[in-house]
Amino acid sequence: MPLIDIIAGARPNFMKIAAVIRSLDAHRSNGGNLRYRLIHTGQHYDARMSGDFFTQLGIPEPDINLEVGSGTQAEQTAAIMVRYEALLMQARSDLCLVVGDVTSTMACAIAAQKLCVPVAHVEAGIRSGDWTMPEEINRMVTDSITNWFFTTSEIANQNLRHAGVDEAHIHFVGNTMIDTLLTNMDRLRPPAFWSELDLRAGEYFVVTLHRPANVDAGGSFARLLAAIGEGTRGIPVVFPVHPRTAKTLAELPNLPANLRLVDPQPYLEFNYLVKHAKAVITDSGGITEETTVMGVPCLTLRDSTERPETVSMGTNELIGTDPAKLKPALDRLFAGQWKQGGIPEKWDGKTGERIVEVLANKLASKLA
Ligand code: UD1
């Protein structure tokens, strides 16, 4: 029976693998023969960045934890490659399935392909064009050694075609993150601080910032926060603080008075906050997909996006990193002039099923 390694390393991976695992489990219950081994690289290791997501999303305990922990880009990449290679040499699998664009995605793809274990990449083909983002390097390297490409959009398909990928290897399946969002929509629940902070639906903002370009330098981060404080007109701004961001934030004096700093939130609480927010201000990529599906206005503090359909079709707008651009955008929001947006093709909750159907066909020849 074919054995698939499912790789998970960092927070944005977990909602994606949850959808694939649900569909693989359903496939097995219906008599299918695909087996999987869940491998956590340990890139994210805190309960708040990792464990809580496994519990809430019903992801089984990893079969193997490579426990690489924190480090520089090269240290993390190297540690993951060494440990995953050792595992494959000891117990080989038939396919390495990686998701998204984090360091674990690239590192495991390289280790697998060098041992001639084929690679499937979920969320293949997306590109920001910004080589200063480690994620863009991860996407490009991973896609250059991927065998089977599972894509979220026609734009991703085009990017792959332009890179010379054979059409037969591109599978436009939709968005696994949205599978997980739709599966859990009825389970979303307010965080414990909801009443303590006196939050009311539609009368607060959610902010998330963790990109090195925005948060690693104290001066520019402080100017960005001041612009957020000024543009949000005193209504609460809930800011779940990523560990990377916390380090710079701790050294900043004079934060805006309406900023409410909270810990990183588990999945159900975070998406409840997003669903009921007036708008989200973020430098994340994945969140722009969730706001698009929930119809919540989203202001992205980046100069580029690898998810252009969230702008052309969805509720997202690229504001850039210049703090002066934020207030005019927020003024439009307060004036009720934000676009409504629609939902991209195949973001329908059935992506995991489509992926498993392709995998079952591809791996059928490996029947035991
Ligand atoms: C990583 C991903 C990014 C993703 C983000 C979501 C890469 C290149 N980047 O960035 O795409 O959007 O995760 O969270 O893979 N830390 C903790 N606890 C943890 C994990 C990390 O305290 O559980 C600390 C680390 O020590 C480090 C910082 O957070 O100082 C950054 O972690 P790291 O995994 O290097 O990258 P992220 O910035 O989280």
Side-chain angles (χ1 to χ4, degrees):
M1 291 199 291
L3 176 64
I4 301 169
D5 280 347
I6 298 182
I7 308 294
R11 186 171 60 178
N13 288 164
F14 305 141
M15 32 298 226
K16 295 168 195 166
I17 61 148
V20 177
I21 288 175
R22 262 174 73 90
S23 300
L24 277 170
D25 288 345
H27 160 90
R28 277 309 286 270
S29 307
N30 293 327
N33 73 335
L34 298 179
R35 289 178 304 145
Y36 65 85
R37 189 165 70 166
L38 178 55
I39 298 168
H40 195 321
T41 65
Q43 181 181 342
H44 281 179
Y45 45 83
D46 283 350
R48 287 186 186 125
M49 300 298 288
S50 175
D52 289 351
F53 288 79
F54 277 66
T55 310
Q56 288 198 339
L57 300 179
I59 305 171
E61 279 287 304
D63 296 290
I64 294 128
N65 193 323
L66 303 178
E67 294 181 345
V68 295
S70 300
T72 65
Q73 293 289 317
E75 283 164 351
Q76 277 185 333
T77 305
I80 296 166
M81 284 180 65
V82 167
R83 293 178 197 194
Y84 183 46
E85 179 188 59
L87 172 70
L88 284 176
M89 282 164 58
Q90 191 203 344
R92 205 181 156 80
S93 62
D94 299 298
L95 179 74
C96 171
L97 183 139
V98 295
V99 301
D101 55 18
V102 303
T103 300
S104 303
T105 309
M106 174 186 73
C108 288
I110 297 173
Q113 196 60 265
K114 284 193 174 226
L115 290 174
C116 301
V117 173
V119 173
H121 184 201
V122 172
E123 204 184 86
I126 63 174
R127 295 288 184 272
S128 68
D130 177 357
W131 287 21
T132 67
M133 288 175 63
E135 293 82 359
E136 183 71 354
I137 310 294
N138 295 341
R139 290 179 200 117
M140 293 167 67
V141 173
T142 304
D143 283 342
S144 69
I145 51 169
T146 285
N147 300 83
W148 307 335
F149 301 82
F150 293 108
T151 62
T152 50
S153 70
E154 180 50 30
I155 300 164
N157 300 340
Q158 279 170 21
N159 290 336
L160 292 170
R161 284 180 205 123
H162 288 155
V165 174
D166 186 334
E167 192 73 39
H169 299 157
I170 303 172
H171 303 279
F172 176 26
V173 288
N175 194 324
T176 49
M177 249 182 121
I178 301 309
D179 277 23
T180 296
L181 182 64
L182 297 178
T183 300
N184 289 287
M185 198 68 94
D186 294 339
R187 298 175 61 222
L188 303 183
R189 59 191 192 202
F193 57 72
W194 179 266
S195 43
E196 195 183 310
L197 294 186
D198 200 18
L199 299 178
R200 283 183 292 269
E203 294 179 34
Y204 64 90
F205 286 86
V206 172
V207 168
T208 82
L209 294 170
H210 75 281
R211 299 272 162 222
N214 282 335
V215 306
D216 280 3
S220 53
F221 188 25
R223 284 190 288 281
L224 214 46
L225 290 177
I228 291 172
E230 194 198 336
T232 48
R233 306 187 182 184
I235 76 171
V237 175
V238 182
F239 186 178
V241 182
H242 184 284
R244 163 173 221 114
T245 311
K247 289 180 189 163
T248 325
L249 207 51
E251 285 154 24
L252 297 185
N254 306 327
L255 297 175
N258 61 336
L259 205 58
R260 307 281 180 267
L261 303 181
V262 298
D263 285 331
Q265 291 299 297
Y267 185 83
L268 299 175
E269 286 80 357
F270 181 74
N271 280 295
Y272 184 95
L273 282 171
V274 168
K275 187 175 180 195
H276 298 282
K278 183 171 185 62
V280 173
I281 303 172
T282 188
D283 61 8
S284 159
I287 292 171
T288 67
E289 298 180 341
E290 291 165 336
T291 49
T292 279
V293 169
M294 290 194 266
V296 174
C298 183
L299 295 83
T300 293
L301 303 186
R302 286 172 49 191
D303 295 313
S304 62
T305 176
E306 61 288 340
R307 294 161 165 95
E309 64 281 2
T310 64
V311 176
S312 59
M313 279 202 76
T315 52
N316 185 25
E317 204 173 297
L318 273 188
I319 307 301
T321 48
D322 174 3
K325 301 270 171 60
L326 188 57
K327 189 165 178 303
L330 286 168
D331 286 346
R332 275 190 287 116
L333 176 81
F334 277 107
Q337 291 166 357
W338 207 262
K339 58 186 169 176
Q340 291 295 315
I343 297 179
E345 189 186 350
K346 296 195 188 177
W347 291 21
D348 58 0
K350 299 196 167 103
T351 299
E353 286 170 41
R354 293 188 194 105
I355 290 172
V356 170
E357 202 183 317
V358 174
L359 293 178
N361 287 336
K362 297 256 183 210
L363 292 169
S365 56
K366 296 211 178 243
L367 271 174

